[in-house]
């Protein structure tokens, strides 16, 4: 399958909330046109309603090239039977639902159906996402076009085995929320030292955003970047001595909790 095939036969999106809308916006920016997309969503946004030519809650094509499953994992049992009829052919199923395994999809669509699991994250909304991909045996041929689609909203990586997906969920899938909370707490700590709330928040946002950009763009690894900004016996060292005493264990437990929950959702 390739983009031309999707354009010819159509793409169906089952669910189109914030993540689905972010992906769709990226795809409509160049790869696809609204007339080549069918969206099934009981509560469509005003943005979806305003897309001229989009097939919104309309009859689906007989043999779409791709079905993107973007509903919440808790809604999967109710949603999947409606599209189970598309299994057994060459329609590719691309899932962005956390914790829902390839085996669970194969139980609905059949083991011969090409299925790709993807774990994007919320920075996809600003074109800075990262998505991990893995497929069943029939879906291996669809990994390249799946990566091409996900690269429209950031970058993508291929996993060696599906068992890695729960860890990916704990690191990059849930990770933006950890960073947002770090911004909250960093700003609150600035307030405690006498800064106004607005100034503390502006400093925290810019610091985390800038440091993340520097880490991604630099040839040095984050450990070296940390050392570069840490003068012996200086202010940064004083702060790091407190942070490094607790953060490694805290982050390990945080990621494990999210990964464990992902496993529970897929059970």
């Amino acid at each position: 399958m390739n983009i031309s095939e999707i354009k010819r036969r159509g793409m169906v999106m089952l669910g189109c909330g914030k993540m689905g809308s972010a992906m769709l916006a990226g795809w409509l920016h160049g790869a696809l046109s609204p007339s080549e997309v069918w969206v099934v969503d009981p509560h469509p946004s005003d943005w979806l309603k305003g897309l001229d030519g989009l097939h919104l809650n309309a009859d689906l094509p007989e043999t779409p090239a791709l079905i993107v499953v973007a509903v919440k994992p808790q809604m999967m049992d109710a949603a999947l039977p409606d599209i189970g009829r598309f299994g057994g052919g060459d329609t590719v199923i691309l899932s962005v639902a956390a914790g829902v395994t390839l085996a669970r999809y194969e139980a609905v669509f059949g083991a011969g159906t090409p299925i790709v699991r993807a774990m994007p994250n919320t920075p996809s909304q600003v074109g800075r996402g990262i998505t991990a991909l893995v497929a069943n045996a029939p879906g291996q041929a669809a990994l390249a076009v799946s990566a091409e689609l996900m690269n429209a909203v950031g970058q993508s990586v291929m996993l060696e085995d599906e068992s890695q997906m729960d860890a990916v969920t704990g690191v990059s899938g849930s990770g933006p929320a950890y960073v947002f909370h770090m911004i909250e707490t960093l700003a609150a700590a600035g307030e405690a030292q006498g800064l106004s709330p607005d100034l503390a928040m502006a400093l925290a946002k810019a610091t985390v955003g800038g440091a993340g950009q520097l880490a991604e763009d630099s040839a040095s690894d984050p450990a070296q970047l940390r050392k570069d900004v840490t003068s012996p016996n200086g202010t940064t060292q004083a702060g790091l001595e407190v942070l490094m005493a607790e953060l490694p264990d805290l982050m390990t437990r945080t990621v494990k909790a999210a990964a464990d929950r992902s496993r529970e959702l897929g059970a």
Side-chain angles (χ1 to χ4, degrees):
M1 185 184 67
N2 53 35
I3 296 295
S4 296
E5 185 75 2
I6 297 174
K7 292 175 70 67
R8 183 175 67 83
R9 293 169 50 193
M11 178 181 77
V12 173
M13 292 193 71
L14 185 63
C16 197
K18 289 184 178 179
M19 181 60 72
S21 293
M23 294 187 299
L24 180 58
W27 300 335
L28 294 180
H29 188 65
L32 302 173
S33 67
S35 63
E36 295 156 351
V37 180
W38 280 253
V39 171
V40 179
D41 193 301
H43 306 290
S45 66
D46 291 340
W47 176 71
L48 282 174
K49 295 176 182 177
L51 289 175
D52 187 31
L54 181 75
H55 304 275
L56 182 58
N57 294 323
D59 291 339
L60 302 182
E62 289 189 11
T63 56
L66 178 68
I67 296 177
V68 180
V69 182
V71 300
K72 294 184 182 298
Q74 297 87 339
M75 300 170 58
M76 202 61 65
D77 288 339
L80 286 184
D82 291 340
I83 57 171
R85 68 184 186 276
F86 294 109
D90 62 351
T91 295
V92 174
I93 309 300
L94 173 62
S95 168
V96 297
V100 185
T101 63
L102 293 171
R104 189 170 172 189
Y105 285 111
E106 288 178 345
V108 174
F109 295 102
T113 301
I115 302 168
V116 179
R117 277 188 69 186
M119 175 47 63
N121 60 6
T122 52
S124 297
Q125 297 176 29
V126 293
R128 293 295 308 279
I130 185 164
T131 301
L133 297 163
V134 68
N136 65 352
Q140 295 297 312
L143 278 172
V145 70
S146 298
E148 183 179 353
L149 287 170
M150 300 314 299
N151 288 345
V153 291
Q155 55 185 302
S156 59
V157 295
M158 301 291 181
L159 301 185
E160 297 176 359
D161 187 84
E162 187 183 13
S163 63
Q164 297 174 306
M165 189 62 86
D166 297 310
V168 168
T169 301
V171 175
S172 62
S174 300
Y178 314 154
V179 177
F180 298 148
H181 186 52
M182 179 181 177
I183 294 172
E184 289 181 88
T185 56
L186 185 58
E191 286 185 56
Q193 293 302 310
L195 298 177
S196 70
D198 288 347
L199 177 56
M201 183 58 72
L203 291 170
K205 285 181 177 180
T207 298
V208 172
Q213 185 71 62
L214 180 59
E216 190 166 12
D217 292 348
S218 176
S220 301
D221 64 31
Q224 184 58 52
L225 293 174
R226 169 178 54 79
K227 293 173 183 176
D228 290 344
V229 77
T230 306
S231 301
N233 299 316
T235 59
T236 304
Q237 180 176 328
L240 281 173
E241 286 175 354
V242 176
L243 188 66
M244 294 177 72
E246 300 181 24
L247 185 60
D249 178 66
L250 178 61
M251 189 56 68
T252 297
R253 289 187 287 116
T254 297
V255 172
K256 182 180 184 302
D260 286 347
R261 181 56 179 151
S262 178
R263 295 182 185 99
E264 291 172 2
L265 289 171

